[in-house]
Structures are given as structure tokens and as C-alpha cells.
Amino acid sequence: MTSIRFILGTAVKQGWGLYQLDVNNAFLHRNLDEKVYMKFPAGVTPPSPMHTDSSISIVVVYVDDILLTGNDNAELCALKDFLNQEFKIKDLGDLYFFLGMEVLREPYGLILCQQKFTIDLLAEFDCLHLTTVSSPVDPSVKLLAKTGEPLHDPTLYRHLLGKLNYLTHTRADLCFTVQHLSQNMQDPRAPHLAAAFRVLHYLLKDPGLGLFMSPSSSFQLLAFCDSDWRTCPDSRRSVRGFYISLGSSPISSKFKKQYAISLRSAEAEYRSMRRVVAELTWLVRLFDDPSIPISLPVPLHSDSQAAIHIAKNPVFHERTKHVEIDCHFVRQQFLAGLISLSYVRSASQLADLFTKSLTGPLHHNLLRKLGVSSSPSNLRRGV
């Protein structure tokens, strides 16, 4: 999904057209007798990226769904004809629906949402008549494992969480809640199901919420990372999260419980920093394929002065030896000029949305800053 958001964000900024293709009878071909290589075998030179000094064509393939964009319409038409000769392609025109996501293209930008999926989900669970709430999780409620009445049919809970997890592709506001609730998939209890249904109440407030891709010409990456130390009441493991934007367009965000228990908050924060630096390293390489210049170093904001100090300090001692590998990696990229490190106050930490439960006003304030926007009523296609 990060790759797809990167392509969409780049196309909007460059003013490129976005087109959708579909392969006819993709699953009706006979079994292959030939060897299929997932990597190029020794002695074979991989093809160069599909662009020249003046022409760029980008093809995104997911099974039989194809997204096509570039700066040369004549080249894109020729590419469509070539693909049709080889695979019998159906040209679906301008991109409007891809991998279950609605793509709303307007002069002021692009909105990527899952409004139809959300409406169908609310109807499936008979929630269209319910009252709404201002946040997906109640900060005053602490969910514990093995607490509460076991569900007679845990399949319902798992089915609902699976669909909510799919919504996180365009709903950054659900990331922390879904991650939190997914920890109880093995043995869901009544309080867990009640918390999951609260998310449906929240979705009803604005089913058309999605990611806004800005047409601004800026290709500046901006990153925030955060960690909530020992937040899990059952395992005392920390939750890490990060957010990366491309010229104010959200392209990457991750949230996950850390694998090991952090002995100090600085350790938890530093492990989160290491994870976002790895993502930034990959993203910078991704920009090389379409030859898109980006500004370096990438500003990385953390609300942990201790973690920033560790990254800049070449001396390792007893307090940092257990995270020394992470320290070396982050410091290497810092010295190489990939990132710059900046302190940000906790009140301005955008990654908070991915690591902790928030009250309604703070939740919506962060959404606005993260580039989460609602599709206008005149674009809702009669839903």
C-alpha cells in the first residue's frame, strides 16, 4: 500500500493521468510448464526502469488489476495496445476504483477512500441507525485479556476485525484501535466485541473519510515516530508507530507492538526510530526508479530527547548496549545525510494517533494534520 500511495501521490503532484486496466480471463490459463524465476538468474541482466530522459511510464500490477500512469500520453496509449496484444486487456479509463478503494480526482487534489465498503460494513452489522461517537476507542476503558464473558461465537469478532483491518488502508484514524483489538483474536471476550462495535459507531459519523493527496509541487519527505512505553497491560510491551508524508500527502504509516520488553522509555522510542529510518531508507531508493528528485536529509521528528541524543552520540555505554545494533543503523543514516533529527513537543507529535487512545478533540485535531479528509457530498456517487 505504501508503494501505491507513493505512485498516486507522485502522479497528482506531477499532473499525470491515472488509468486503470483489467486482464480478461486472468485465471483461466493452463498450468505453466516453464520455469518461473522470482529473481533474475545469474548471467541475465535485469531490464532498466521503463523511462527515458523525457518519458516516464509506471505500471502497477496486483494480480489482474493494473494501474497505469506517466508523463507521456502517447507512450501510455502504445503501452496499452502492447499489453492488449499480449494479454487481452480491458481499458477501464480513468482510475476510479482500485483494490477496493475509491479514487476521487479533483483539481484541488485526490482523495483515496473506502466509502462504499464502509457503508456496506455498517449495513451488514445493522448499524446505520445507531448514534455516532467522536473517537474509535474510549480512553477510559482498559481492555484486558481473559477478562469478561467469552463469546459463544468468536467468528463474528474475527470477521469484523478483518474488515476493520482492511479499512486501515485509507483510515489512519483506525490504526491504533484495530491493532489493539486484534491482540484478542484468539480468545475474544464481550468487552472486546463491545469495543469493536464502538468503531462502527465512529465510522457512521463520516463514512467518506479518507487520505488526501495534495497537488503541491513539494517532494519533501517528513517523518514522525513515537512509542508508548509498556502500554500493553498484559505483556508490558510497548507500541511503536510512525507516519511519513510526501509534500503533505500521507504515504506511509505503521503501528505495531514491539517484540521485546523495553527496560526504559528511551529504548522503546529508539526502536521506533530505527523502524522509521529503515522505512525512509527504502522509500529513498523507491524514488530512484522514476528518477524523481527528493530533498535530503529527511526531517525526522521525535518527542524523545534521550533517543535523539543517543542517535547523535558516538559513545555507547551500559545504558545503550542492548540496543547497540539499532543505534549503529540510525547513526549511520544520520551521518550519511539521509535524515536529520529534530525534537518535537508531545502535543505536536503526529504519530500519537498510532500509539495510544486519544480523546475526541485531540483525535480529530491530529487527523486534520495527517491529511485525512472527507470526500465532498457531490462526489459520493449517490451512496
Side-chain angles (χ1 to χ4, degrees):
M1 291 307 302
T2 298
S3 299
I4 292 172
R5 287 190 289 262
F6 158 74
I7 295 297
L8 294 177
T10 299
V12 170
K13 291 179 181 299
Q14 302 282 45
W16 297 344
L18 287 162
Y19 308 102
Q20 186 173 7
L21 309 175
D22 187 50
V23 180
N24 293 333
N25 303 327
F27 302 102
L28 299 183
H29 296 291
R30 59 183 296 177
N31 294 333
L32 290 174
D33 296 324
E34 301 85 356
K35 290 183 179 179
V36 177
Y37 291 91
M38 300 303 294
K39 295 182 179 179
F40 286 96
V44 177
T45 302
S48 59
M50 189 162 27
H51 66 81
T52 65
D53 292 338
S54 59
S55 178
I56 299 175
S57 300
I58 299 175
V59 182
V60 179
V61 181
Y62 189 90
V63 190
D64 61 335
D65 292 319
I66 301 175
L67 185 158
L68 186 63
T69 188
N71 64 351
D72 189 332
N73 286 330
E75 178 68 22
L76 294 180
C77 289
L79 182 55
K80 289 180 184 179
D81 292 339
F82 170 76
L83 292 174
N84 185 53
Q85 293 174 7
E86 295 292 328
F87 304 105
K88 298 303 179 185
I89 295 292
K90 182 187 299 181
D91 188 349
L92 301 178
D94 292 337
L95 181 68
Y96 65 92
F97 196 80
F98 189 67
L99 302 183
M101 299 176 292
E102 298 165 66
V103 182
L104 309 176
R105 186 79 178 263
E106 284 295 299
Y108 60 83
L110 178 149
I111 294 180
L112 192 64
C113 70
Q114 293 169 280
Q115 181 176 255
K116 184 180 183 302
F117 181 87
T118 304
I119 294 291
D120 291 343
L121 175 61
L122 293 170
E124 178 183 352
F125 286 88
D126 194 24
C127 295
L128 292 174
H129 64 285
L130 300 178
T131 56
T132 63
V133 293
S134 60
S135 63
V137 63
D138 186 350
S140 65
V141 175
K142 303 298 181 183
L143 296 177
L144 301 173
K146 309 297 183 181
T147 300
E149 186 70 22
L151 298 181
H152 295 293
D153 182 14
T155 304
L156 175 67
Y157 182 81
R158 295 164 186 162
H159 175 70
L160 174 55
L161 260 293
K163 295 210 166 188
L164 292 177
N165 186 55
Y166 180 63
L167 269 178
T168 59
H169 290 325
T170 60
R171 298 288 300 251
D173 50 332
L174 302 181
C175 289
F176 172 77
T177 306
V178 173
Q179 182 270 342
H180 191 48
L181 295 175
S182 296
Q183 298 176 42
N184 303 291
M185 296 281 272
Q186 184 66 26
D187 184 20
R189 304 296 179 102
H192 306 141
L193 183 60
F197 269 94
R198 178 189 169 91
V199 181
L200 297 178
H201 287 249
Y202 170 74
L203 290 175
L204 188 61
K205 186 178 181 65
D206 193 347
L209 212 60
L211 301 178
F212 175 68
M213 301 292 178
S214 169
S216 72
S217 59
S218 171
F219 278 91
Q220 174 67 62
L221 287 168
L222 181 65
F224 290 80
C225 66
D226 190 28
S227 177
D228 199 14
W229 184 40
R230 56 185 181 83
T231 187
C232 177
D234 298 305
S235 66
R236 288 305 175 187
R237 286 188 286 170
S238 306
V239 173
R240 68 170 184 245
F242 66 78
Y243 165 78
I244 302 173
S245 65
L246 175 65
S248 74
S249 297
I251 61 170
S252 181
S253 59
K254 295 285 171 58
F255 51 97
K256 195 168 186 178
K257 185 190 293 186
Q258 294 184 349
Y259 292 110
I261 297 175
S262 297
L263 301 180
R264 301 177 180 88
S265 61
E267 178 184 344
E269 296 281 359
Y270 205 89
R271 293 190 189 279
S272 177
M273 184 180 291
R274 197 277 306 169
R275 186 63 187 85
V276 71
V277 171
E279 184 82 353
L280 288 171
T281 303
W282 170 73
L283 274 173
V284 170
R285 293 173 181 168
L286 186 62
F287 276 88
D288 286 340
D289 279 347
S291 299
I292 296 174
I294 60 172
S295 302
L296 294 178
V298 178
L300 171 56
H301 298 281
S302 170
D303 59 4
S304 172
Q305 294 192 26
I308 294 175
H309 177 72
I310 293 172
K312 294 181 177 181
N313 182 11
V315 179
F316 296 93
H317 42 72
E318 288 296 318
R319 293 182 58 192
T320 59
K321 68 179 183 180
H322 49 295
V323 290
E324 188 170 340
I325 293 178
D326 291 338
C327 293
H328 278 297
F329 177 72
V330 174
R331 179 165 173 76
Q332 170 186 291
Q333 302 301 60
F334 171 72
L335 294 176
L338 178 78
I339 60 171
S340 63
L341 296 168
S342 303
Y343 173 72
V344 62
R345 295 182 300 110
S346 296
S348 303
Q349 174 58 274
L350 301 189
D352 270 357
L353 192 74
F354 306 102
T355 59
K356 53 182 67 73
S357 57
L358 303 171
T359 60
L362 182 56
H363 178 84
H364 287 279
N365 182 47
L366 287 180
L367 281 187
R368 179 178 54 83
K369 295 179 181 179
L370 286 171
V372 177
S373 178
S374 179
S375 56
S377 57
N378 63 328
L379 296 178
R380 299 195 177 196
R381 306 185 187 277
V383 177

